[in-house]
Amino acid sequence: MSEVPAQRRASDRISRWVGFDLAGQAYALPILRVREVLPAPVVEPVPGAPAEILGLINLRGRILTVIDLRQRLGLAPARGERYAVMVIDGGGEWLGLRVDAVCELRSVVAQAVQEAPRVPPPAGFRLCGVVLRDGQWLHLLDLEGLPS
């Protein structure tokens, strides 16, 4: 498969994504779903919650559930204390997604997006496609009915 061409044509459709890392892999969410990024906020655990629910944070008076995106996607548990929480609009309700690091805003040319592998996604996520960029795969995620 070929890499994304360095030059774009004026007619190319471009979408914007917020890139982040999980377990050494590159992912991205649509920029319009990301409200803000918090560097390592204190998360209050919720007794009896499923393992992927890390707990709650208070964001300027708004209580948000924080989900461990590694666990939700079936990746290896995090080792280390460095992380960020992406505050996303999960379909009318804001949620926090714990990620290893938020990298950058990425522009993706629609023609460069390749079909995603046909595997059942974890609840609430859909793999929109993949893009080969600078020798690394970028997994484009979308949220669909993500439960809190």
Side-chain angles (χ1 to χ4, degrees), residues 120-145:
F125 291 92
R126 179 173 64 90
L127 189 58
C128 302
V130 292
V131 177
L132 186 59
R133 211 171 168 173
D134 299 326
Q136 182 179 28
W137 288 106
L138 175 62
H139 302 85
L140 304 176
L141 294 177
D142 195 2
L143 309 169
E144 53 180 39

Side-chain angles (χ1 to χ4, degrees), residues 36-74:
E36 65 183 283
V37 175
L38 307 171
V42 175
V43 178
E44 183 65 32
V46 176
E52 67 187 30
I53 305 294
L54 293 177
L56 305 172
I57 59 172
N58 183 339
L59 181 64
R60 296 180 295 281
R62 182 184 286 218
I63 305 301
L64 306 178
T65 301
V66 177
I67 297 171
D68 184 340
L69 197 49
R70 273 180 175 244
Q71 286 196 10
R72 179 59 71 94
L73 295 177

